[in-house]
């Protein structure tokens, strides 16, 4: 069980790049009065944070000035520490505690919540009360949230694709004539890493993206179909599901990682290391790490590591169900005001003022404008003392309506939109696997993966010996049964597509 929880935390960290430390608020009520004497519905909006902003009530009040006037809805912002979010979310869903709009994700058990009847189907609500959602979102993105033909959550609009790539320290790359633009393959990466090993002492050329994370979470060539227990190679494979760990591509990948390990290019303690790659680079202990690529990633990583970074993709961007369903909003089955919840959610996709209040707080207090769409901190305010430093535009509906913080590319959102349009769409985009039919096997396979995958993908285990043992263990745990069930569901899903 501990291994499963650890894997969940790791996967979230890999796609979102966020960690935790704060507390939760809990209260709810449904007032009915306003200046106009019309009923005001209260929507309890539940989401995770790394730290609860001290000015969240002030921001909430400003949001309600708009939402009460426009849609007769008052929102109550209920942030929960990300470290406690899964537990608190499941408790709220199972105990029918008042929650009307909830941040959900494929990594926090979305399909399981649907299977338990904890989330409302949203198709009719979106049709009636979500015109901005429908206008803004690519139908394929909305369909990606469907389970058994019904939509139970609305994805946020952000980078909806991923491209595996690598991030490197710019100063060292420049000093040793490493042209990152020419790096296209793992062999190219290896040549660069060897230059660092030969010339720089005390720095590991290649470090883990996140502690305890499999490299294939970031560097991949397949649609994981939700859980990587049965994948779609090359995002097509004629819709045939296969065991990733039995493929020739996986065998070659772990052999490459073993070679890097033996050449001293990677961490010797990758299986026990507790620091993310950004921390190791910041501490002058690492040079590079795998990372999902998107517009603005170089600046983002430079800010985190406090060192100039250069980045490059190692393949084209791809949109999968997992990429789209990483961040979504659902309405719990127990909500007494689902129409009001959908009305407010719609504002998060069409109302720029609402989006920027959620993202950045109050103009003049938490930020000031540099131009029409670029902002910065007011004089005397910084990241440490800002009363509303949520920094979660990826979660608050339509990111493309969000201001860009000074220092980022002013064209960030138009470039992200082009990035999304350029992405290959997996042939299984929109397929969500229901693992409830093979729960026992999923648990057993998860334990086997936890035993072998990290060691193989970090190079610390010899694939000549451990890969056959890994595959044998997977067979004994029931991976073939999982793949057969996944293939059955995928075939049925494909038949129902237009």
């Amino acid at each position: 069980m501990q291994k499963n929880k650890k894997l969940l935390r790791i996967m979230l960290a890999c796609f979102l790049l966020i960690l935790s430390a704060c507390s939760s608020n809990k209260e709810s009520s449904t007032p009915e009065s306003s200046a106009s004497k019309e009923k005001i519905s209260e929507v309890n909006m539940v989401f995770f944070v790394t730290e609860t902003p001290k000015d969240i009530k002030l921001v909430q009040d400003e949001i309600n000035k708009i939402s009460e006037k426009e849609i007769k809805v008052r929102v109550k912002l209920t942030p929960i520490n990300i470290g406690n979010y899964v537990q608190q979310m499941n408790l709220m869903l199972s105990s029918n505690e008042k929650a009307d709009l909830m941040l959900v994700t494929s990594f926090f058990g979305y399909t399981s919540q649907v299977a338990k009847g904890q989330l409302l189907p949203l198709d009719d609500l979106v049709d009636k009360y979500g015109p901005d959602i429908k206008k803004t979102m690519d139908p394929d993105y909305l369909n990606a949230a469907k389970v058994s033909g019904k939509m139970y959550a609305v994805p946020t609009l952000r980078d909806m694709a991923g491209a595996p790539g690598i991030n490197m320290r710019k100063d060292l790359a420049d000093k040793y004539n490493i042209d990152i633009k020419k790096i296209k393959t793992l062999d190219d990466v290896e040549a660069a890493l060897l230059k660092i090993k030969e010339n720089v002492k005390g720095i590991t050329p290649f470090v883990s993206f996140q502690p305890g994370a499999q490299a294939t979470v970031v560097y991949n060539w397949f649609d994981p179909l939700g859980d990587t227990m049965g994948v779609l190679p090359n995002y097509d494979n004629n819709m045939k599901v296969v065991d990733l760990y039995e493929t020739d591509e996986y065998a070659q990948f772990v052999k490459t990682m073993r070679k890097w390990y033996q050449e001293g290019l990677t961490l010797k303690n990758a299986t026990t290391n507790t620091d993310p790659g950004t921390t190791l680079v910041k501490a002058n202990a690492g040079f590079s790490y795998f990372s999902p690529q998107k517009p603005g990633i170089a600046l983002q990583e430079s800010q985190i590591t406090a060192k100039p970074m250069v980045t490059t993709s190692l393949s084209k961007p791809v949109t999968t169900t997992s990429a789209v369903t990483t961040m979504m909003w659902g309405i719990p089955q127990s909500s007494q005001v689902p129409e009001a919840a959908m009305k407010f959610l719609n504002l998060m996709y069409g109302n720029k003022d609402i989006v920027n209040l959620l993202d950045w707080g109050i103009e003049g207090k938490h930020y000031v404008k540099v131009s029409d769409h670029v902002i910065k901190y007011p004089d005397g305010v910084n990241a440490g003392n800002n009363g509303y430093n949520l920094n979660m535009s990826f979660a608050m509906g339509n990111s493309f309506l969000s201001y860009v913080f000074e220092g980022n590319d002013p064209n960030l959102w138009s470039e992200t939109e082009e990035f999304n349009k350029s992405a290959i769409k997996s042939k299984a985009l929109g397929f969500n696997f229901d693992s409830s039919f093979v729960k026992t096997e999923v648990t057993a396979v998860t334990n086997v993966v936890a035993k072998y995958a990290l060691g193989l993908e970090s190079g610390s285990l010899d694939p000549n010996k451990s890969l056959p043992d890994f595959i044998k263990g997977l067979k004994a745990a029931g991976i073939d049964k999982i793949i057969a069930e996944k293939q059955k569901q995928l075939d049925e899903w494909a038949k129902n597509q237009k």
Side-chain angles (χ1 to χ4, degrees):
M1 191 66 179
Q2 283 299 112
K3 292 177 180 177
N4 295 351
K5 289 180 180 178
K6 182 180 178 184
L7 184 59
L8 189 66
R9 290 197 301 269
I10 289 165
M11 291 184 70
L12 179 69
C14 287
F15 281 91
L16 304 178
L17 305 175
I18 48 179
L19 296 171
S20 60
C22 71
S23 60
S24 69
N25 300 329
K26 186 170 67 174
E27 67 174 282
S28 62
S29 62
T30 310
E32 292 193 9
S33 61
S34 74
S36 65
K37 304 297 184 183
E38 293 185 61
K39 179 178 178 180
I40 299 291
S41 299
E42 182 170 282
V43 169
N44 189 20
M45 178 175 164
V46 181
F47 54 99
F48 60 73
V49 292
T50 57
E51 184 175 353
T52 300
K54 68 181 180 65
D55 289 347
I56 195 164
K57 180 65 167 59
L58 296 178
V59 174
Q60 175 181 291
D61 291 343
E62 290 300 311
I63 290 171
N64 286 331
K65 288 178 183 178
I66 300 171
S67 63
E68 289 184 30
K69 180 180 178 181
E70 293 205 3
I71 57 173
K72 298 295 181 287
V73 170
R74 177 179 300 137
V75 68
K76 180 184 182 301
L77 302 179
T78 302
I80 297 175
N81 169 262
I82 189 173
N84 302 324
Y85 192 69
V86 175
Q87 180 181 7
Q88 291 296 317
M89 173 178 58
N90 289 333
L91 183 62
M92 294 178 87
L93 289 171
S94 61
S95 65
N96 292 330
E97 186 174 345
K98 179 173 171 54
D100 305 299
L101 198 55
M102 182 173 282
L103 195 59
V104 299
T105 161
S106 53
F107 297 110
F108 285 168
Y110 170 60
T111 54
S112 174
Q113 291 159 355
V114 170
K116 293 175 183 176
Q118 294 175 330
L119 297 174
L120 283 173
L122 303 182
D123 304 79
D124 290 343
L125 287 169
V126 170
D127 284 342
K128 291 179 182 177
Y129 305 111
D132 291 314
I133 293 172
K134 295 185 72 174
K135 182 173 73 173
T136 301
M137 300 294 287
D138 183 327
D140 285 342
Y141 298 158
L142 292 177
N143 288 336
K146 289 187 174 181
V147 179
S148 300
K150 293 184 178 180
M151 185 197 323
Y152 291 88
V154 176
T156 63
L157 183 58
R158 51 196 147 74
D159 47 302
M160 307 299 271
I166 192 161
N167 303 344
M168 296 179 174
R169 276 181 55 172
K170 185 178 186 301
D171 58 341
L172 296 178
D174 289 346
K175 184 175 182 177
Y176 298 106
N177 299 314
I178 297 170
D179 186 351
I180 198 164
K181 293 180 181 178
K182 294 182 178 178
I183 294 177
K184 302 297 180 186
T185 67
L186 290 182
D187 287 341
D188 296 336
V189 173
E190 183 177 340
L193 300 181
L194 284 169
K195 285 187 178 182
I196 299 301
K197 179 177 181 285
E198 291 163 2
N199 292 285
V200 185
K201 304 302 179 186
I203 290 181
T204 302
F206 179 83
V207 296
S208 305
F209 172 60
Q210 287 292 335
Q214 294 173 228
T216 49
V217 170
V218 180
Y219 181 82
N220 47 52
W221 56 93
F222 52 85
D223 187 329
L225 299 177
D227 56 14
T228 318
M229 298 180 197
V231 305
L232 209 60
N234 301 315
Y235 313 98
D236 189 328
N237 203 43
N238 293 317
M239 298 295 271
K240 179 174 173 55
V241 182
V242 302
D243 177 6
L244 167 67
Y245 307 109
E246 288 188 85
T247 63
D248 292 339
E249 292 88 347
Y250 186 78
Q252 184 56 52
F253 177 74
V254 295
K255 286 177 181 176
T256 298
M257 294 301 103
R258 179 64 173 176
K259 181 183 178 187
W260 289 10
Y261 180 85
Q262 291 177 320
E263 290 176 341
L265 303 180
T266 63
L267 289 172
K268 292 299 181 185
N269 66 335
T271 58
T272 57
N273 165 59
T274 58
D275 292 317
T278 50
T279 298
L280 293 170
V281 169
K282 188 174 184 177
N284 291 314
F287 166 69
S288 69
Y289 50 90
F290 284 142
S291 169
Q293 302 294 297
K294 63 178 182 178
I297 188 67
L299 179 59
Q300 173 186 291
E301 298 301 281
S302 298
Q303 292 170 337
I304 295 171
T305 61
K307 296 183 186 299
M309 301 292 288
V310 287
T311 69
T312 190
S313 299
L314 298 173
S315 71
K316 293 181 179 179
V318 180
T319 301
T320 64
T321 301
S322 297
V324 174
T325 59
T326 295
M327 205 59 56
M328 303 183 290
W329 289 96
I331 299 177
Q333 182 74 41
S334 59
S335 174
Q336 298 300 303
V337 288
E339 294 86 358
M342 181 55 67
K343 287 178 182 178
F344 186 79
L345 183 60
N346 185 66
L347 284 186
M348 292 167 60
Y349 289 78
N351 189 300
K352 187 173 184 177
D353 292 333
I354 292 288
V355 168
N356 283 291
L357 278 163
L358 287 166
D359 288 349
W360 302 112
I362 301 168
E363 184 179 356
K365 183 175 181 63
H366 303 118
Y367 71 87
V368 292
K369 285 186 176 179
V370 176
S371 66
D372 285 344
H373 61 282
V374 177
I375 61 173
K376 66 178 183 178
Y377 292 126
D379 290 342
V381 176
N382 56 46
N385 64 19
N386 191 7
Y388 192 84
N389 205 26
L390 198 61
N391 197 20
M392 286 179 60
S393 60
F394 58 84
M396 297 304 171
N398 182 357
S399 291
F400 296 172
L401 294 179
S402 181
Y403 296 133
V404 175
F405 205 83
E406 189 176 49
N408 290 280
D409 186 341
N411 299 314
L412 174 63
W413 297 127
S414 60
E415 290 179 5
T416 301
E417 188 172 14
E418 287 304 311
F419 176 77
N420 290 342
K421 289 178 180 178
S422 71
I424 299 166
K425 290 182 177 179
S426 169
K427 202 146 185 197
L429 177 61
F431 171 69
N432 284 285
F433 177 50
D434 180 0
S435 63
S436 62
F437 299 98
V438 284
K439 288 189 293 186
T440 301
E441 290 78 12
V442 165
T443 299
V445 167
T446 298
N447 290 334
V448 176
V449 170
K451 181 179 179 181
Y452 288 100
L454 181 58
L456 283 165
E457 295 180 28
S458 66
S460 60
L461 288 180
D462 180 358
N464 291 323
K465 178 183 184 303
S466 295
L467 184 55
D469 291 343
F470 183 21
I471 293 170
K472 183 178 179 181
L474 291 170
K475 297 284 188 187
I479 196 166
D480 288 339
K481 185 175 179 180
I482 296 171
I483 290 172
E485 177 61 31
K486 186 174 283 188
Q487 185 72 65
K488 175 184 173 183
Q489 292 184 28
L490 182 62
D491 290 345
E492 185 64 29
W493 172 84
K495 281 196 302 184
N496 293 323
Q497 301 309 297
K498 293 181 181 179

